[in-house]
Amino acid sequence: MPVLGFVLALLLLGSAPKKSVQTVTRADGEEFVEWCIADEQASSEELQVALDWACGKGGADCGRIQPHQPCFLPNTVKDHASFAFNSYYQKFKHKGATCYFNSAAMITDLDPSHGSCKFPYLP
């Protein structure tokens, strides 16, 4: 019966959920830094739905994209969604969160911060 146990173990391991890697270590030991931003190809409607979820049930910190705050401008759905997606991703990535948002988001290694609007990164 050891073969049956081995096969059962393989089946269980093969069906285990796979966690996405949040950071990658380069050959020189440095870590790649990642932000989650709105995908350029997503429609404004898709971004708005995902933005509403991120700032609502998702638990992203969206205070900085409110009027008179550092990330309000530019006042576009894409820019606000990028900040909200990244806030959610950085806050929850170590609990298994992904940068997906129903395919409205993508990972970048280029810091999307601009002016006084700083996009957080948590290792």
Side-chain angles (χ1 to χ4, degrees):
M1 290 298 195
V3 172
L4 180 60
F6 179 73
V7 170
L8 182 58
L10 281 177
L11 288 172
L12 290 174
L13 289 174
S15 66
K18 308 235 182 329
K19 289 194 174 187
S20 61
V21 175
Q22 309 303 332
T23 58
V24 178
T25 304
R26 299 186 321 206
D28 62 6
E30 292 292 317
E31 229 179 48
F32 284 111
V33 181
E34 296 178 336
W35 292 269
C36 179
I37 60 171
D39 190 323
E40 295 283 340
Q41 296 182 26
S43 71
S44 292
E45 293 78 19
E46 291 171 312
L47 292 173
Q48 187 65 60
V49 168
L51 170 62
D52 291 345
W53 182 87
C55 292
K57 289 184 180 180
D61 179 4
C62 296
R64 296 177 59 99
I65 57 175
Q66 299 304 310
H68 311 292
Q69 295 301 310
C71 299
F72 179 70
L73 296 175
N75 182 15
T76 68
V77 174
K78 182 180 80 64
D79 287 284
H80 288 185
S82 288
F83 189 86
F85 295 172
N86 187 65
S87 171
Y88 170 84
Y89 179 64
Q90 299 298 332
K91 188 174 180 180
F92 297 113
K93 65 184 177 183
H94 296 295
K95 295 181 180 178
T98 63
C99 177
Y100 181 67
F101 295 94
N102 204 22
S103 76
M106 59 184 274
I107 291 289
T108 183
D109 62 352
L110 301 174
D111 186 349
S113 299
H114 51 89
S116 62
C117 178
K118 304 300 181 204
F119 277 57
Y121 168 74
L122 301 172

